[in-house]
Amino acid sequence: MRLAPLMIFSLVLAGCATTPNIRADYDHAANFSGYHTYGFPAETGTDRAGYSTLITGHFKRAVGREMEARGYRYDADKPDLLVNFFASSSDRTDVQSTPRVSFGAGYYSYRLGLYTEWPLYSRDVNTDHYKVGTASIDVVDAARKQLVWEGRAEGRLTKKMLDNPGQAVDKAVADIFMKYPVSKAAN
């Protein structure tokens, strides 16, 4: 019975943990209606040692889909906007200490008080190890070499996300672009 509140709290936390935290900011002086084309820098933030990674391909496809949905056209030679992206993951550990009711009757109950916890002063400690992923997208005015928009998603990585990175990147990029200052074009 004493575990019920802890289990409910853990389920609520677990439900919230998979929702990414999305943040974005942009240059309010930038005229987004003046941009018509986009491209990618020669080397993106997810490239390694001079070669393009599989994650780079996932990002390019997802970003291209979002940019084209907003009316931009891909131009590899002379784009108005350059879109760069970065991805990282890190290990995190959360330690949760929760008070619990205890009446001091344990293995050494015949020595009440000497080897038991004081009533209501005991704690359950739960340790949770997990990975957190961060995806960042920068949109740069290519002519001025000036950042005009940046978006970032940060959240807990699940096994499903790690097993299917393409789907995870698609979802993260779509979530980030929800904060882009230009809405999707009506179809």
Side-chain angles (χ1 to χ4, degrees):
M1 194 63 172
R2 68 179 181 184
L3 292 177
L6 180 62
M7 287 180 5
I8 291 169
F9 179 72
S10 296
L11 287 173
V12 169
L13 262 178
C16 295
T18 58
T19 304
N21 181 13
I22 309 292
R23 293 185 305 273
D25 195 12
Y26 68 99
D27 179 356
H28 294 272
N31 178 10
F32 284 88
S33 63
Y35 301 121
H36 304 288
T37 60
Y38 76 96
F40 302 104
E43 188 171 325
T44 66
T46 56
D47 291 340
R48 264 187 285 183
Y51 64 89
S52 183
T53 65
L54 295 173
I55 291 294
T56 298
H58 295 311
F59 267 101
K60 282 185 175 180
R61 280 187 293 282
V63 166
R65 194 169 29 254
E66 292 298 324
M67 292 296 281
E68 288 169 16
R70 285 162 176 77
Y72 297 104
R73 205 175 66 259
Y74 179 72
D75 183 348
D77 299 324
K78 197 166 190 240
D80 299 330
L81 297 169
L82 287 173
V83 183
N84 199 1
F85 33 82
F86 312 88
S88 65
S89 68
S90 60
D91 293 322
R92 296 251 176 104
T93 301
D94 285 341
V95 178
Q96 187 73 32
S97 178
T98 309
R100 66 177 163 92
V101 176
S102 171
F103 293 106
Y107 179 75
Y108 294 107
S109 62
Y110 62 93
R111 297 181 178 179
L112 286 175
L114 297 176
Y115 296 102
T116 61
E117 303 155 328
W118 287 93
L120 304 177
Y121 285 104
S122 60
R123 298 207 172 272
D124 286 326
V125 178
N126 295 317
T127 305
D128 187 18
H129 302 281
Y130 58 95
K131 283 194 173 300
V132 171
T134 303
S136 301
I137 301 172
D138 292 347
V139 177
V140 176
D141 181 313
R144 297 185 304 138
K145 305 248 185 279
Q146 175 76 36
L147 183 74
V148 293
W149 182 82
E150 62 183 344
R152 171 185 223 118
E154 183 178 69
R156 181 178 278 203
L157 296 175
T158 64
K159 181 177 177 358
K160 182 179 176 184
M161 291 173 177
L162 295 171
D163 290 344
N164 301 301
Q167 290 176 350
V169 168
D170 283 348
K171 173 95 171 82
V173 169
D175 288 347
I176 293 169
F177 267 91
M178 293 293 286
K179 301 240 179 199
Y180 194 74
V182 175
S183 299
K184 286 186 176 186
N187 292 329

